[in-house]
Amino acid sequence: MTASQDQTATRSPPPVSAEVLPGFADTQRFWERDTGRWTVKLLPGECYVTRQDEAIITVLGSCISACVRDPHTGLGGMNHFMLPDRGEGADGASAHPGFSQINRYGCFAMESLINHLARHGAPRTRLELKVFGGGRILRSMIDIGARNIAFVHSWARTEGMRLAAQDLGGIQPRKLVYFPATGRARVLKLPA
C-alpha cells in the first residue's frame, strides 16, 4: 500500500452503525479510530448494553464501572456509578441532564445493568463480571472509592457472581475501554 492509499484508507467513512438495542436509542455513539469500532462514552449514572462488536469507554476516579456479559452470546454492557447506596439526606438533585439520578448509586446501577441484560436474553447464570475503579483520588476527603469497592465485592458475593477480573483501588484515575463482544477490557492509568 502506498502512502497516499494509506491516507485514503484512514479517511474513509466508518461502517454503517449497527442497530442499537431498545432502551438505548438516545445513547451518543461515535466512530473511534483507536478502537476501530462504534463507541459509547458513559458518564456517571449511565449504563449501556449491546450485542454488537462495539466499545464502551469511561473515565473513573472513585467511581466504579461493572462490565458484565454473557460469554456464549456476546451480549454485554457496562455501568458507571458514583456511590454504593443512597445515604441519609440524599436529595437526588443534579444539573446534568444525561445523569440518571437513581443509577448513580451502585445498588441500583448493578440491578439496572443485570435487568437490561436479562431483558435482551442473557441468563443470569452465565454472566461474567469484571469491575474497575474505586481509586482514592482526593486524600483529603472521605474514601468513597473504598466504600464503592466494599459494595461491589459484597454485591457480587450476595448475587453469587464470580469476579472474572478486577482493577480496583490505588490513587490514579483510569480510562476504561470495554469490548462486550469479546469481554476484553483495556485499562489506562492516568496521572494522579
Side-chain angles (χ1 to χ4, degrees):
M1 181 183 284
T2 67
S4 64
Q5 288 172 323
D6 186 44
Q7 286 177 340
T8 304
T10 60
R11 280 190 253 154
S12 63
V16 175
S17 176
E19 189 173 322
V20 178
L21 292 174
F24 298 100
D26 294 336
T27 304
Q28 300 254 336
R29 296 163 72 232
F30 58 95
W31 180 259
E32 184 177 35
R33 286 186 184 162
D34 181 46
T35 63
R37 290 169 175 77
W38 284 97
T39 301
V40 171
K41 182 174 185 179
L42 288 188
L43 298 173
E46 294 181 337
C47 89
Y48 183 73
V49 172
T50 183
R51 66 175 71 255
Q52 305 300 326
D53 187 13
E54 297 178 287
I56 309 171
I57 64 172
T58 197
V59 175
L60 302 162
S62 60
C63 296
I64 285 192
S65 278
C67 303
V68 183
R69 73 185 279 265
D70 174 356
H72 293 356
T73 64
L75 176 68
M78 181 167 86
N79 64 19
H80 180 151
F81 64 87
M82 297 175 65
L83 300 165
D85 54 31
R86 218 175 147 152
E88 293 298 316
D91 63 2
S94 173
H96 192 290
F99 189 83
S100 173
Q101 293 297 316
I102 201 73
N103 285 336
R104 69 180 170 177
Y105 302 108
C107 54
F108 299 110
M110 294 305 296
E111 289 308 312
S112 177
L113 179 56
I114 299 299
N115 289 341
H116 278 296
L117 289 163
R119 189 174 306 126
H120 295 292
R124 192 178 185 106
T125 56
R126 287 198 314 231
L127 296 179
E128 167 188 274
L129 172 65
K130 298 179 180 183
V131 292
F132 304 90
R136 183 163 194 175
I137 307 307
L138 301 172
R139 290 190 178 271
S140 62
M141 300 188 71
I142 296 171
D143 192 353
I144 299 297
R147 290 180 56 209
N148 282 335
I149 292 168
F151 162 78
V152 82
H153 283 151
S154 173
W155 184 91
R157 274 191 311 277
T158 301
E159 297 297 322
M161 293 187 79
R162 183 184 65 80
L163 287 175
Q166 61 182 325
D167 183 34
L168 299 167
I171 61 167
Q172 292 179 284
R174 298 159 169 86
K175 178 181 179 183
L176 171 62
V177 183
Y178 182 57
F179 304 90
T182 64
R184 195 178 92 208
R186 218 170 46 191
V187 177
L188 172 66
K189 300 277 176 87
L190 303 173

